[in-house]
Amino acid sequence: MTTQTPLPRGFRAHAGSIGIKDDTADFTVIASDTPATAVGMYTKSRFAGCSVRISREATADNQLRAIAVVSKNSNVATGPEGEANARELVASVAQSLGVNEADVAIASTGVIGRQYPMERVRSYLATLEEHAASSVEDAFGVTDAGPVAEAIMTTDTHAKIASASIASAGTGSASTASARIVGVAKGVGMIEPDMATMLTFIFTDAEIASDALDPIVRRVIDRTFNAVSVDTDTSTSDTAIVMANGSAGAVDLAEFETALFDVALSLTKMIASDGEGAETLIEVRVDSARDVDQARRVAKAIVNSPLVKTAVHGADPNWGRVAMAIGKCSDDLDIDQEAVTIRFGDTEVYPTLLPDTELETLSAYLANDEVLIHVSLGIDGKTGGEFTAYGCDLTDGYVRINADYTT
């Protein structure tokens, strides 16, 4: 049973099963009682789904009332029929809530190239509309994030939820926190975001104007969801949306950004550690780089290396695979192997080489649920170029899941 995590004030939800693929939860709507400031970031894939296109339109004015999510069918590469179906779903949700359909975003995740089973979708939505006509509060009576997080899952092994609190402006103490941030996410495969992440939705009752929220969200996502990679494959449906409805009043923006980062980082690590077939969370920290972009390239090269992933999976302290991955950044001519330091956890493995007698201890470290690979590039005079990437080991479980995904 998922731990109870109440949604922030002024948010309510609906969750259930349309029967998209089976009888598990596959549909949810999260709505704000009042217009909410919203920021959306989406995949850059040239095969982006129609849900992404519709949501881009909905968040273009930085305002939303609701997000509808369908799981187990991505509605990608489904042509005009797929887009018409998505817009019909949005219109029905808007009707149920009594809001403008232009203020409803949609996300969809699952198998590519298949139409929604619209007979089942229409039947479900008609029942929801009828229920809402009697009582919107009852039809959208879910006030806990658990059912929402469960309804957006596909091959995830567990729901992903994170939360934080912020003191309202002028309260002077975190102990009197009155504003909350609650985030949910899904994603375990087809993951190396090029904007945000698989699907993640973050809700807050803090009052923040769009011109302040937008840069905060982009900075946070760049250091969290854009730092995770499971398999180097960018999804066609990647969507990240943050909604702030202001029910708790204004907050200190710096404190809000810190809390939002904490929520996003928690979700990022959950995604990485729940990668398809994964058994180990890999954190790759690169510092002493020329700049952040260089540190990011090197960190991603390491975390994405199948040889590094399999070495971690086998608890094999083969630091040569890390050196190889760094060396792949061949356009970074200022990387000098003589200046580089490689560590597993706190243990330096290059250039100070470990005697064979200590390798068994290091192997035990690599058998942990979480492993840190720390690389200092040692570029002269450079101390500010840092970036941390998050990924997972590569197991036979990943192969089996994806070999049998549609069959």
Side-chain angles (χ1 to χ4, degrees):
M1 182 69 178
T2 304
T3 301
Q4 294 284 304
T5 306
L7 293 168
R9 277 171 290 188
F11 286 97
R12 63 181 68 247
H14 169 88
S17 175
I18 291 175
I20 297 293
K21 183 179 180 181
D22 50 37
D23 61 358
T24 58
D26 56 23
F27 179 68
T28 186
V29 177
I30 312 92
S32 173
D33 293 339
T34 57
T37 301
V39 175
M41 294 180 70
Y42 307 95
T43 183
K44 294 180 181 177
S45 170
R46 299 306 300 161
F47 256 83
C50 53
S51 295
V52 168
R53 296 195 297 273
I54 293 169
S55 290
R56 281 188 178 127
E57 296 172 6
T59 56
D61 62 353
N62 294 118
Q63 182 171 293
L64 279 183
R65 289 296 300 273
I67 304 167
V69 188
V70 175
S71 67
K72 303 176 179 67
N73 181 314
S74 72
N75 199 19
V76 170
T78 51
E81 180 182 353
E83 179 157 349
N85 290 338
R87 291 189 183 278
E88 181 181 338
L89 187 153
V90 165
S92 179
V93 168
Q95 173 70 24
S96 296
L97 288 166
V99 302
N100 191 320
E101 62 188 80
D103 290 328
V104 179
I106 180 172
S108 196
T109 177
V111 179
I112 291 172
R114 296 183 180 176
Q115 299 289 347
Y116 286 154
M118 286 305 292
E119 184 175 340
R120 273 173 274 170
V121 170
R122 291 187 180 110
S123 176
Y124 187 94
L125 293 177
T127 300
L128 180 62
E129 283 190 41
E130 183 179 351
H131 192 186
S134 299
S135 173
V136 172
E137 291 78 10
D138 189 20
F140 295 87
V142 174
T143 57
D144 183 75
V148 173
E150 291 167 1
I152 68 177
M153 297 193 313
T154 50
T155 55
D156 305 66
T157 65
H158 58 84
K160 299 170 178 65
I161 306 169
S163 63
S165 298
I166 326 109
S168 292
T171 61
S173 172
S175 63
T176 58
S178 59
R180 297 180 62 245
I181 302 173
V182 175
V184 298
K186 66 81 53 180
V188 290
M190 197 185 287
I191 293 176
E192 182 173 22
D194 197 11
M195 53 88 251
T197 186
M198 308 31 64
L199 297 183
T200 186
F201 310 108
I202 301 178
F203 311 99
T204 180
D205 47 20
E207 180 182 352
I208 304 178
S210 61
D211 59 351
L213 184 62
D214 190 277
I216 289 173
V217 170
R218 293 178 188 281
R219 283 195 298 269
V220 165
I221 284 178
D222 190 53
R223 294 183 293 144
T224 55
F225 299 123
N226 260 338
V228 65
S229 179
V230 169
D231 49 22
T232 79
D233 287 333
T234 297
S235 170
T236 55
S237 304
D238 290 343
T239 298
I241 298 176
V242 178
M243 292 177 66
N245 68 12
S247 296
V251 296
D252 179 87
L253 293 181
E255 291 182 10
F256 175 81
E257 182 165 354
T258 297
L260 182 64
F261 176 81
D262 290 343
V263 168
L265 183 60
S266 292
L267 293 172
T268 295
K269 289 185 175 183
M270 291 179 202
I271 288 166
S273 62
D274 194 30
E276 288 174 336
E279 297 176 2
T280 306
L281 169 66
I282 303 174
E283 181 176 328
V284 179
R285 184 183 308 154
V286 175
D287 56 25
S288 297
R290 179 194 335 123
D291 51 33
V292 172
D293 287 342
Q294 183 184 54
R296 183 198 303 270
R297 278 192 299 277
V298 174
K300 285 291 190 75
I302 296 168
V303 83
N304 284 334
S305 167
L307 291 178
V308 172
K309 289 173 172 287
T310 50
V312 171
H313 177 61
D316 179 12
N318 187 348
W319 59 265
R321 293 183 173 183
V322 178
M324 171 279 302
I326 299 168
K328 288 195 298 184
C329 301
S330 54
D331 290 336
D332 289 276
L333 301 181
D334 50 352
I335 295 179
D336 179 1
Q337 61 179 286
E338 302 298 330
V340 171
T341 301
I342 301 172
R343 305 174 187 86
F344 288 151
D346 295 328
T347 304
E348 184 176 318
V349 294
Y350 175 86
T352 302
L353 303 183
L354 284 180
D356 291 344
T357 53
E358 294 187 29
L359 291 180
E360 186 175 338
T361 299
L362 193 55
S363 181
Y365 170 74
L366 293 176
N368 288 325
D369 293 338
E370 298 185 14
V371 167
L372 170 65
I373 299 173
H374 182 188
V375 173
S376 297
L377 295 183
I379 295 177
D380 286 345
K382 303 298 181 182
T383 58
E386 300 181 6
F387 190 81
T388 301
Y390 304 89
C392 60
D393 59 340
L394 180 60
T395 72
D396 56 352
Y398 178 87
V399 177
R400 283 270 51 87
I401 289 169
N402 287 286
D404 303 330
Y405 190 70
T406 63
T407 56

